[in-house]
């Protein structure tokens, strides 16, 4: 080649480069002959425009192919599906006989109200579009979306519970967002960061289109640099650039639109900070939604080297939608390559078309798809292998000569992980413990105050969940303030004792909070046979009732105020009735009196009155604001409750566990409170997923019906991490952990007599009550004779403290913040003050406390006291045992220890089984009699009742009853002769 030819070629190259460069500068890119596909806008609203592609080519008003609706990401233009007709989604899908429709959300900066759009607005709009396409085509719709558009597809289908949705197809759509984040950012760093951004940044600002473009390019800087250098290096060769020019222009400038601030905040809050795509319980409007309700087939495209929708995050759909059949198609592509470019034209869209045809019964199952399986990756893994990452990045780096950018970023991420010295749990716990430690007798703290603080901090956050609806903190506080005005207008003042007789529903919790906001005392009345004595003991001046309990409330005598709807809002009031309907009081017409100050309750003031049966008699238990706060912050700390938790409770309103632990812990922890309409296993399974339940509150044997329900649809994909409550028997505890693994049980003991709170936080010793919570009062076990019912003293006349393993009465130290009645002084030292509880405990060598019995129910036999809890724990080792209750029966002038058990279906019990169960129990602690009965009665709080069994006397002789032979030290069958002898001589009866 001559020098002239070389020179001419160089000149032509320079000229071509200059000409093409000038065209790019003037027009933003090279002019191509590519034209967008034909479409018709068939629906137009301020929220969206619905495009129907190739609508005029069918020659018929009714499309002939199965409809597929394509949803773009919120920050990307709808043209992402039609960059070029020959390689774009709509052109390829139409050529395969499908009927493509595309959602166009437009740009927020050009649409009316665009910057005020929320995430829910987009999902509701997609749901409306599905109805429109279904109506126009007469067919179920295949819902499809790329990246966040795929998230929209999942959410809209779940919102509709798959009504008129034929299948779902997503491309790089993350579901388990915290499983794999860009740059390897750890989930426990990303979650609080997302929370902060949602509350303090995107609540004020939005993201413009150029910011979205720049942000996404920075997520893959190597590929961005490579594509730009490639373009510059080939700027002289127009023919080489033209085929890829539409794609380049789309990704570099034309394809990006802004994000509205409220939508970003909602995305970060619900799906990053709280990860509710996986756990469920995200809120659309006020409706609770879970991906667990997806039942249609799903195809997820996975990019093997996708650093935005990483494989681990995309494959989270398998866990999130356990009822759906989920397939995947993997590609060696990055995030954009899934839907734009040659690989998408050769794989993504043909496979999508084949999938839709297969699911519509028009073709065979497509090649290249497989059923998705659940992966168990280590916490640091994202699903993009090191080899894939190195090969993909190395190739790009080699082509453009860029240094080890990814290595630096990876090292930075590792450094971030290594520098986290303070765990998330500690970060949550410390402020709560500090606040609890600062509480003094005159500190203002109450239930109403904490709810008001939650409303100020996070007004749009959800507070209550009930009947598939969510109630925000702002709405709840507005409702509370309205009820406050009605109560004040009806004569309620601070310190007034007001009975609350209502079913467990949001209006009942609002009533309690409103009374707290006024400074009145809430007397929680049980709708049982104890109602009348409880009202009398509580000295109620007024009663707040719902319509369901109105008749019972009116029979008690004090004035009645009706609040809430109940099952029926029609009030059948007697003529001349003084009952006031609070719902008919207009709060705008009520002027608050000068004395009113919201949330005036101080720590040492009485806040609640609860009731329980002790020794067969109804007793009132008084709870101060400090005592309530102690349980609230203690529960929140021990259970590590946070904004991402949803606490589910089916406990009755009047039970102490709901007020002190469930409600208090959730409010103190900033968690959502889900209220159930009683215990129903089928409803429980549905609501666990729909609400995104992470913590379940229980009382006593409540979990029994859930654990023993056969063929339960709740599998290992459930979001529950913890069961919190008190009174769970050891056997049921073990079965609960096995049934709901990997969830744990957090057992509490909270006395109503003093500020004693014990918690088995580790769960390492099922059956133990654990150790005192930080911030709770110091405890000691005093030597106590349960037979004589007196304390045992040392030589100095002081009460002796029990040694390790010795059984005694649990005492809590009286504190200055408690207005305590019944405090004992001079107990372990001169001048000290302690409050006795009602329960006998022992402490082991590790410092864990074990409940032995109630001091009023311990069986006092001739050989000494026999404690019921160790008997139940021993029998828990037998698989056939269901429930256990021990009680005393007087026979032959002595009290005998009797244990009644129920068995699981089709199981049996033998004397040999009893010998195995009691092998490690001191012979003096063996029950005198053991018998199998069909059923053990339970109270409304699911506590086993023993009164009827005690009243029935000795068990009937038979093959399912045994007595303890003290001479032979074994259990033998209970016969009529032995019963007769026991009735005559008690526990000293001879062997049968």
């Amino acid at each position: 080649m001559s020098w002239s030819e070389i020179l001419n070629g160089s000149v032509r190259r320079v000229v071509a480069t200059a000409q093409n460069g000038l065209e790019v500068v003037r027009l933003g890119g090279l002019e191509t002959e590519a034209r967008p596909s034909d479409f018709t806008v068939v629906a137009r609203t301020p929220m969206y425009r619905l495009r129907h592609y190739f609508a005029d080519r069918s020659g018929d008003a009714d499309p002939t192919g199965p409809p597929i609706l394509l949803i773009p990401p919120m920050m990307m233009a709808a043209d992402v599906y039609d960059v070029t007709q020959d390689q774009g989604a709509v052109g390829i899908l139409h050529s395969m006989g499908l009927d493509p429709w595309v959602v166009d959300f437009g740009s927020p900066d050009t649409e009316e109200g665009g910057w005020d759009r929320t995430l829910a607005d987009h999902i509701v709009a997609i749901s409306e579009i599905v109805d429109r396409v279904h109506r126009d085509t007469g067919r179920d719709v295949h819902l499809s979306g790329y990246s966040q558009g795929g998230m929209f597809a999942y959410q809209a289908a779940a919102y509709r519970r798959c009504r008129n949705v034929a299948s779902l197809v997503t491309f790089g759509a993350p579901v388990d967002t915290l499983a794999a984040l860009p740059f390897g950012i750890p989930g426990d760093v990303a979650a609080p960061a997302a929370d902060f951004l949602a509350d303090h940044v995107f609540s004020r600002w939005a993201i413009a289109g150029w910011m979205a473009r720049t942000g996404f390019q920075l997520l893959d800087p190597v590929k961005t640099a490579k594509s730009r250098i490639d373009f510059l290096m080939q700027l002289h060769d127009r023919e080489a650039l033209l085929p890829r020019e539409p794609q380049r222009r789309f990704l570099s400038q034309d394809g990006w639109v802004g994000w509205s601030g409220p939508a970003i905040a909602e995305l970060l809050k619900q799906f990053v900070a709280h990860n509710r795509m996986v756990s469920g319980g995200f809120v659309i409007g006020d409706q609770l939604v879970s991906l667990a309700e997806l039942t249609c087939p799903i195809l997820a495209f996975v990019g093997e080297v996708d650093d935005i929708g990483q494989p681990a995050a995309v494959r989270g759909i398998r866990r999130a939608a356990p009822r759906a059949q989920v397939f995947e198609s993997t590609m060696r592509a990055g995030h954009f390559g899934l839907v734009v470019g040659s690989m998408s034209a050769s794989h993504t869209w043909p496979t999508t078309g084949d999938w839709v045809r297969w699911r519509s019964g028009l073709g065979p199952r497509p090649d290249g798809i497989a059923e998705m399986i659940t992966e168990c990756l280590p916490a640091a893994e994202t699903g993009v292998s090191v080899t894939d990452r190195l090969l993909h990045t190395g190739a790009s780096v080699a082509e453009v000569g860029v240094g080890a950018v990814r290595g630096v970023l990876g090292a930075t991420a590792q450094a971030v992980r290594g520098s986290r010295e303070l765990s998330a749990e500690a970060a949550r716990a410390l402020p709560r413990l500090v606040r609890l430690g600062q509480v003094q007798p005159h500190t203002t703290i109450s239930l109403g105050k904490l709810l008001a603080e939650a409303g100020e901090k996070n007004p749009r956050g959800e507070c209550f969940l009930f009947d598939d609806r969510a109630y925000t903190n702002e709405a709840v506080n507005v409702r509370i303030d309205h009820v406050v005005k009605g109560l004040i207008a009806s004569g309620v003042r601070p310190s007034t004792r007001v009975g609350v007789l209502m079913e467990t529903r949001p209006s009942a919790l609002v009533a309690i909070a409103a009374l707290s906001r006024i400074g009145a005392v809430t007397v929680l009345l049980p709708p049982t046979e104890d109602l009348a004595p409880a009202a009398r003991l509580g000295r109620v001046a007024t009663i707040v009732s719902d319509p369901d309990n109105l008749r019972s409330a009116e029979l008690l005598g004090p004035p009645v105020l009706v609040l809430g709807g109940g099952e029926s809002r029609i009030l059948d009031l007697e003529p001349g009735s003084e009952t006031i309907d609070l719902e008919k009081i207009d709060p705008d017409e009520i002027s608050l009196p000068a004395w009113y100050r919201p949330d005036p309750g101080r720590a040492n003031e009485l806040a609640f009155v609860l009731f329980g049966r002790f020794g067969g008699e109804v007793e009132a238990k008084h709870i101060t604001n400090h005592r309530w706060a102690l349980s609230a912050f203690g529960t929140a700390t021990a259970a590590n409750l946070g904004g991402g938790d949803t606490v589910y409770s089916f406990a009755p309103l009047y039970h102490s566990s709901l007020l002190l632990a469930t409600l208090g812990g959730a409010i103190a922890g900033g968690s959502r409170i889900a209220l159930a309409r009683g215990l129903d296993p089928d409803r429980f399974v549905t609501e666990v997923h729909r609400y995104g339940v992470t913590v379940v509150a229980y009382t006593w044997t409540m979990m029994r019906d859930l654990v023993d329900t056969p063929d339960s649809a709740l599998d290992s994909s459930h979001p529950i991490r913890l069961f919190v409550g008190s009174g769970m028997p050891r056997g049921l505890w073990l079965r609960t952990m096995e049934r709901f693994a990997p969830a744990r049980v957090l057992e509490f003991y909270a006395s109503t007599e003093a500020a004693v709170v014990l918690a088995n936080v580790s769960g390492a010793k099922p059956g133990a009550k654990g150790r005192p919570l930080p911030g709770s009062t110091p405890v000691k076990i005093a030597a106590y004779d349960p037979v004589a019912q007196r304390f045992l003293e040392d030589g100095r006349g002081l009460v002796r403290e029990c040694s390790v393993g010795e059984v005694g009465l649990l005492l809590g130290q009286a504190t200055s913040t408690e207005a305590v009645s019944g405090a004992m002084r001079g107990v372990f030292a001169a001048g000290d003050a302690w409050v006795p509880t009602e329960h006998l405990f022992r402490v082991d060598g590790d410092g864990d406390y074990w409940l032995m019995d109630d001091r009023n129910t311990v069986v006092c036999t001739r050989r000494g006291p026999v404690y019921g809890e160790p008997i139940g724990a021993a029998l828990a080792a037998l698989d056939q045992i269901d429930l256990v209750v021990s009680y005393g029966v007087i026979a032959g002038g002595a009290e005998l220890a009797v244990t009644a058990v129920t068995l699981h279906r089709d199981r049996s019990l033998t004397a040999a089984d009893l010998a195995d169960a009691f092998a490690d129990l001191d012979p003096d602690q063996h029950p005198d009699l053991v018998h199998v009965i069909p059923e053990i009665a339970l109270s409304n709080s699911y506590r086993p009742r023993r009164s009827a069994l005690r009243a029935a006397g000795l068990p009937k002789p038979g093959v399912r009853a045994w007595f303890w032979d003290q001479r032979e030290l074994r259990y033998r069958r209970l016969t009529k002769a032995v019963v007769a002898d026991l009735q005559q001589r008690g526990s000293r009866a001879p062997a049968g």
Side-chain angles (χ1 to χ4, degrees):
M1 181 179 294
S2 66
W3 284 105
S4 61
E5 291 176 334
I6 295 174
L7 182 60
N8 288 335
S10 298
V11 171
R12 284 195 300 269
R13 180 167 181 160
V14 170
V15 171
T17 300
Q19 288 177 337
N20 293 335
L22 181 61
E23 186 176 343
V24 170
V25 171
R26 290 177 59 237
L27 305 177
L30 301 176
E31 278 295 311
T32 68
E33 295 181 359
R35 293 292 179 265
S37 302
D38 297 333
F39 66 85
T40 302
V41 176
V42 297
R44 187 187 300 266
T45 72
M47 187 66 208
Y48 65 86
R49 286 176 290 276
L50 177 59
R51 301 179 181 180
H52 188 190
Y53 279 81
F54 310 105
D56 297 332
R57 296 189 184 182
S58 63
D60 193 338
D62 295 325
T64 58
I68 179 169
L69 178 64
L70 298 162
I71 307 167
M74 190 163 54
M75 71 294 180
M76 191 168 280
D79 294 333
V80 67
Y81 296 117
D82 189 31
V83 176
T84 59
Q85 183 169 331
D86 58 336
Q87 291 193 346
V90 294
I92 295 174
L93 295 176
H94 174 69
S95 68
M96 298 180 69
L98 275 61
D99 181 25
W101 303 64
V102 174
V103 182
D104 180 6
F105 291 117
S107 179
D109 53 358
T110 60
E111 303 294 336
E112 182 182 354
W115 293 119
D116 297 324
R117 290 174 175 176
T118 66
L119 199 71
D121 292 335
H122 292 79
I123 297 168
V124 172
I126 293 168
S127 181
E128 292 175 359
I129 292 170
V130 172
D131 287 331
R132 170 65 185 261
V133 175
H134 174 73
R135 184 175 66 251
D136 289 355
T137 64
R139 297 187 180 206
D140 287 348
V141 181
H142 296 268
L143 209 52
S144 178
Y146 163 56
S147 190
Q148 192 192 1
M151 297 170 68
F152 280 154
Y154 287 137
Q155 293 155 7
Y159 176 71
R160 298 175 59 84
R161 298 180 189 167
C162 292
R163 179 172 48 85
N164 302 134
V165 177
S167 76
L168 286 162
V169 186
T170 63
F171 315 97
V175 174
D176 190 355
T177 53
L178 295 181
L181 292 158
F183 302 132
I185 299 172
D188 53 359
V189 171
D195 226 356
F196 176 84
L197 291 172
D199 289 338
H200 303 289
V201 178
F202 296 115
S203 58
R204 299 178 176 87
W205 295 293
I207 292 181
W210 68 267
M211 298 170 66
R213 179 184 69 243
T214 304
F216 268 78
Q217 289 172 349
L218 290 175
L219 287 175
D220 199 345
V222 173
K223 188 170 183 179
T224 300
K226 174 184 178 299
S227 64
R228 291 183 177 180
I229 293 174
D230 282 346
F231 179 76
L232 292 174
M233 296 296 290
Q234 298 183 58
L235 193 57
H236 66 283
D237 190 349
R238 186 182 186 90
E239 298 304 317
L241 291 175
L242 286 179
R244 299 179 60 187
E245 180 62 5
Q247 173 185 334
R248 187 199 68 80
R249 290 188 64 168
F250 183 85
L251 293 179
S252 64
Q253 59 187 53
D254 298 338
W256 302 94
V257 297
W259 288 8
S260 63
I264 305 171
E266 203 171 345
L267 170 72
L268 291 172
K269 198 80 165 177
Q270 295 210 61
F271 304 126
V272 179
H274 300 156
N275 205 17
R276 290 202 170 114
M277 287 277 280
V278 173
S279 66
F282 58 92
V283 179
I284 306 302
D286 62 357
Q287 180 177 326
L288 289 152
V289 183
S290 169
L291 297 194
E293 295 182 290
L294 293 177
T295 55
C296 64
I298 299 171
L299 173 61
F301 283 82
V302 182
E304 293 178 349
V305 288
D306 187 346
D307 260 337
I308 297 175
Q310 297 190 25
V314 173
R315 290 184 173 119
I317 187 61
R318 173 67 280 172
R319 177 187 168 201
R323 299 166 60 194
Q325 190 177 19
V326 184
F327 295 82
E328 68 174 57
S329 178
T330 58
M331 302 167 55
R332 181 167 290 278
H335 196 61
F336 296 115
L338 288 170
V339 293
V340 177
S342 58
M343 189 172 293
S344 66
S346 62
H347 179 83
T348 303
W349 304 121
T351 304
T352 300
D354 289 340
W355 163 271
V356 173
R357 292 179 60 82
W358 175 47
R359 301 313 309 193
S360 302
L362 302 175
R365 170 174 164 168
D367 297 329
I369 70 169
E371 288 203 40
M372 186 182 289
I373 60 173
T374 303
E375 286 188 309
C376 296
L377 294 174
E381 295 292 334
T382 66
V384 180
S385 70
V386 175
T387 303
D388 287 340
R389 203 181 289 271
L390 290 176
L391 288 175
H392 180 65
T393 304
S396 300
V397 169
E399 291 181 40
V400 298
V402 179
V405 176
R406 288 302 172 96
V408 174
L409 293 173
T412 303
Q414 292 293 335
V416 171
R417 281 193 289 269
S419 65
R420 299 196 310 269
E421 298 178 357
L422 189 62
S423 67
E425 291 84 354
R428 287 177 180 174
L430 286 175
R432 297 167 187 164
L433 295 178
V434 168
R435 181 171 184 179
L436 194 58
Q438 293 174 342
V439 173
Q440 300 299 319
H442 297 289
T443 302
T444 55
I445 188 167
S446 63
L447 185 153
K449 185 177 179 65
L450 292 189
L451 280 174
E453 291 174 357
E456 293 173 1
K457 180 181 179 182
N458 185 18
R460 297 182 64 179
E462 297 91 34
C463 183
F464 298 142
L465 312 180
F466 183 71
D467 274 358
D468 298 341
R469 289 190 60 194
Y471 301 82
T472 65
N473 288 319
E474 182 179 43
V476 167
N477 275 287
V478 168
R479 170 71 167 159
I480 290 170
D481 290 337
H482 287 173
V483 173
V484 162
K485 289 185 175 181
L487 292 171
I488 290 175
S490 302
V492 176
R493 296 177 64 91
S495 300
T496 303
R497 292 199 175 200
V498 180
V500 175
L501 182 60
M502 305 178 74
E503 300 299 322
T504 306
R505 53 171 57 96
S507 58
L509 300 186
V510 165
I512 294 173
L515 292 170
S516 175
R517 187 150 295 175
I518 294 173
V521 178
T522 301
V523 182
L524 290 168
L525 300 173
T528 64
E529 66 273 11
D530 296 335
L531 174 58
R536 185 175 61 256
L537 287 171
R539 305 199 306 276
V540 296
T542 305
I543 296 174
V544 178
S545 171
D546 53 20
D548 296 344
N549 290 285
L550 177 57
R551 281 285 165 264
S552 299
E554 288 181 327
L555 294 174
L556 296 175
V560 177
L561 312 176
V562 185
L563 180 69
E567 298 304 323
S568 173
R569 196 60 187 82
I570 300 175
L571 303 184
D572 183 19
L573 300 178
E574 297 291 336
S577 172
E578 296 182 357
T579 297
I580 298 174
D581 187 352
L582 293 176
E583 301 292 352
K584 292 185 177 181
I585 296 177
D586 185 354
D588 295 332
E589 295 183 358
I590 303 298
S591 297
L592 291 171
W595 57 258
Y596 175 70
R597 297 291 183 274
D599 306 310
R602 297 181 177 182
N604 63 349
E605 293 177 346
L606 183 62
F608 306 101
V609 179
L610 304 173
F611 301 94
R613 278 192 169 269
F614 300 92
E617 299 293 330
V618 178
E619 292 186 11
K621 297 298 179 182
H622 299 87
I623 307 296
T624 63
N625 283 309
H626 175 262
R627 176 68 184 82
W628 178 85
L630 175 63
S631 289
F633 285 104
T635 301
T637 302
N640 191 29
L641 296 178
D645 284 307
T646 300
V647 184
Y648 187 85
S649 176
F650 16 51
L653 180 69
Y654 56 86
H655 194 274
S656 60
S657 68
L658 176 62
L659 179 69
L660 299 178
T662 308
L663 182 62
I667 294 173
S671 307
R672 307 191 302 183
I673 307 159
L675 301 175
R677 286 181 175 269
L679 179 57
D680 179 89
D682 293 335
R683 185 190 297 123
F684 173 75
V685 170
T686 299
E687 292 182 339
V688 159
H689 284 297
R690 187 173 296 164
Y691 295 173
V693 173
T694 57
V695 179
V696 177
Y698 66 83
T699 59
W700 297 97
T701 64
M702 184 178 285
M703 292 302 303
R704 177 168 158 259
D705 289 344
L706 304 179
V707 170
D708 296 337
T709 299
D711 303 323
S712 173
L714 198 66
D715 59 18
S716 59
S717 66
H718 66 78
I720 301 171
R721 66 175 181 86
L722 197 64
F723 292 90
V724 177
S726 61
M728 185 184 291
R730 185 175 185 273
L732 183 56
W733 184 328
L734 297 172
R735 284 155 48 205
T736 298
M737 290 196 299
E738 179 181 1
R739 171 67 183 82
F740 295 101
R744 299 184 300 108
V745 172
L746 174 59
E747 174 79 5
F748 274 94
Y749 168 85
S751 71
T752 53
E753 298 83 5
V756 176
V757 181
L758 307 176
N760 189 338
V761 177
S762 70
K765 299 178 181 178
K769 299 301 179 186
R771 304 175 186 181
L773 280 181
S776 64
T777 188
V779 299
K780 287 186 178 183
I781 299 179
Y784 184 79
D785 182 354
V787 178
Q789 296 189 346
R790 63 180 183 86
F791 290 97
L792 303 179
E793 301 174 350
D794 58 18
R796 298 174 299 165
L798 298 174
V799 174
R800 181 172 59 83
E801 185 176 355
C802 287
S803 58
V804 171
E806 184 180 2
V807 180
L809 191 67
L810 185 70
L811 273 63
Q813 189 171 33
T815 62
S816 58
T817 55
E818 291 284 352
V820 180
S821 60
M824 300 168 52
R825 294 197 175 274
V827 182
F828 301 106
D832 65 358
W834 295 80
V835 181
T837 69
E838 297 290 334
H839 298 99
L840 300 167
F841 273 81
R842 68 175 178 87
V843 64
D844 62 21
D846 297 325
D848 289 301
Y849 287 76
W850 296 78
L851 177 65
M852 301 298 286
D853 213 326
D854 187 307
R855 69 171 172 177
N856 294 316
T857 60
V858 63
V859 182
C860 302
T861 68
R862 285 173 175 165
R863 62 183 181 277
V866 176
Y867 306 108
E869 289 294 323
I871 293 173
L875 289 171
L878 301 179
D879 292 339
Q880 61 267 47
I881 296 293
D882 182 13
L883 292 179
V884 179
V885 63
S886 295
Y887 55 97
V889 173
I890 302 297
E895 190 171 23
L896 303 179
V898 183
T899 296
V901 301
T902 60
L903 306 179
H904 293 296
R905 185 179 300 177
D906 301 326
R907 302 299 296 272
S908 61
L909 185 67
T910 67
D913 295 329
L914 295 177
D916 292 339
F918 293 134
D920 296 329
L921 196 63
D922 189 312
D924 285 343
Q925 290 300 311
H926 288 198
D928 295 301
L929 300 165
V930 178
H931 64 125
V932 177
I933 60 176
E935 184 179 6
I936 293 176
L938 302 175
S939 69
N940 289 345
S941 58
Y942 294 88
R943 181 175 188 173
R945 287 184 165 178
R946 62 191 77 186
S947 55
L949 293 170
R950 185 186 294 113
L954 292 175
K956 295 181 180 179
V959 295
R960 305 218 302 175
W962 301 268
F963 76 99
W964 175 242
D965 189 323
Q966 296 187 34
R967 287 204 296 263
E968 298 186 13
L969 297 181
R970 66 187 181 96
Y971 280 98
R972 298 174 57 189
R973 178 179 168 183
L974 183 65
T975 64
K976 292 182 179 180
V978 172
V979 170
D981 210 8
L982 287 171
Q983 290 174 332
Q984 181 177 1
R985 295 198 289 170
S987 60
R988 286 193 285 184

